[in-house]
Amino acid sequence: DAGVIQSPRHEVTEMGQEVTLRCKPISGHNSLFWYRQTMMRGLELLIYFNNNVPIDDSGMPEDRFSAKMPNASFSTLKIQPSEPRDSAVYFCASSRQGSSANEKLFFGSGTQLSVL
Amino acid sequence: QKEVEQNSGPLSVPEGAIASLNCTYSDRGSQSFFWYRQYSGKSPELIMSIYSNGDKEDGRFTAQLNKASQYVSLLIRDSQPSDSATYLCASSGGGADGLTFGKGTHLIIQP
């Protein structure tokens, strides 16, 4: 399996621009997570989906952030408009969720976002 | 709010010694606990999971869980320079819940 695939690996943009991050989860995994990592705050859960349905978006910092999962093999995280404080590494992760304890997360390589 | 606390380090350990990493969590409802290793510039990778009180061993790694004290630890025996990384502790309430991560402990193994 190719693992969780994220694109782009690096994104440099100017303040006010729209940014779209993409993720392809591992085939057969039914849960998808978006995390943001900074030195100050560590890894923060932004939103997660189960069977393509958003379950908890309480970690999304502001209305400028939105996420979609139109099908089981694709998800996007959009920031519009972007601000310098959005600069971080954004990770997508997927897992196969069952009815028992949480299954392990597999992370993508991340997108390094720099907003100038 | 669910929190996972770790000492940020750096924790410096001589090669061949035992490295001991610790974490505490605030949510008593947490059921699952994980240790991830993250090399600089890379993504986190799972190295251990533990669900019950006590010890769980996997090769050079031992995870320990004490739910009464809300405490999780990771021991790395015979530490190698390749073990130098940031170690992230994470907890989950189970089911389809997301993981709550600590900020990580930076471990340095000195040759």
Side-chain angles (χ1 to χ4, degrees):
Chain A
D1 199 319
V4 177
I5 300 173
Q6 289 187 248
S7 65
R9 285 283 280 128
H10 303 276
E11 177 78 33
V12 180
T13 190
E14 292 186 347
M15 182 174 62
Q17 296 298 305
E18 177 179 300
V19 174
T20 299
L21 312 181
R22 297 173 176 79
C23 175
K24 175 180 169 55
I26 293 172
S27 177
H29 282 191
N30 59 350
S31 289
L32 183 142
F33 304 80
W34 283 100
Y35 281 88
R36 177 173 68 176
Q37 188 174 39
T38 61
M39 288 291 292
M40 286 292 293
R41 302 174 69 92
L43 262 173
E44 301 173 279
L45 178 62
L46 301 177
I47 184 171
Y48 69 93
F49 297 82
N50 195 39
N51 295 322
N52 311 340
V53 176
I55 303 300
D56 185 355
D57 66 353
S58 60
M60 297 286 259
E62 299 172 32
D63 291 345
R64 298 184 296 106
F65 287 69
S66 62
K68 294 182 180 180
M69 191 165 186
N71 57 62
S73 59
F74 184 66
S75 177
T76 60
L77 177 68
K78 183 178 294 186
I79 308 172
Q80 164 65 15
S82 59
E83 296 183 3
R85 59 192 167 123
D86 301 331
S87 298
V89 180
Y90 290 80
F91 286 106
C92 176
S94 71
S95 69
R96 181 181 295 114
Q97 296 293 329
S99 60
S100 59
N102 200 14
E103 301 293 336
K104 60 182 180 180
L105 294 187
F106 293 84
F107 282 82
S109 299
T111 295
Q112 174 73 61
L113 174 63
S114 298
V115 183
L116 307 178
Chain B
Q1 185 172 353
K2 301 175 185 176
E3 291 184 346
V4 175
E5 299 288 341
Q6 296 181 256
N7 189 321
S8 62
L11 174 65
S12 187
V13 174
E15 182 177 357
I18 296 175
S20 178
L21 305 164
N22 307 309
C23 116
T24 59
Y25 60 94
S26 64
D27 181 12
R28 283 199 172 273
S30 297
Q31 299 181 22
S32 310
F33 304 88
F34 306 87
W35 283 98
Y36 282 78
R37 178 176 62 201
Q38 186 175 24
Y39 293 113
S40 179
K42 302 296 185 182
S43 58
E45 57 177 330
L46 179 69
I47 53 173
M48 289 288 289
S49 59
I50 187 166
Y51 307 105
S52 304
N53 279 329
D55 295 0
K56 178 181 178 182
E57 186 175 319
D58 184 0
R60 296 187 296 112
F61 299 96
T62 299
Q64 299 173 318
L65 174 60
N66 183 327
K67 289 186 177 181
S69 301
Q70 296 177 241
Y71 179 86
V72 191
S73 66
L74 178 70
L75 301 178
I76 307 174
R77 290 181 298 281
D78 188 23
S79 297
Q80 304 296 311
S82 59
D83 295 326
S84 298
T86 296
Y87 288 80
L88 303 167
C89 176
S91 70
S92 169
D97 201 359
L99 299 187
T100 299
F101 283 86
K103 292 183 180 179
T105 298
H106 184 204
L107 175 65
I108 299 172
I109 306 300
Q110 296 178 322

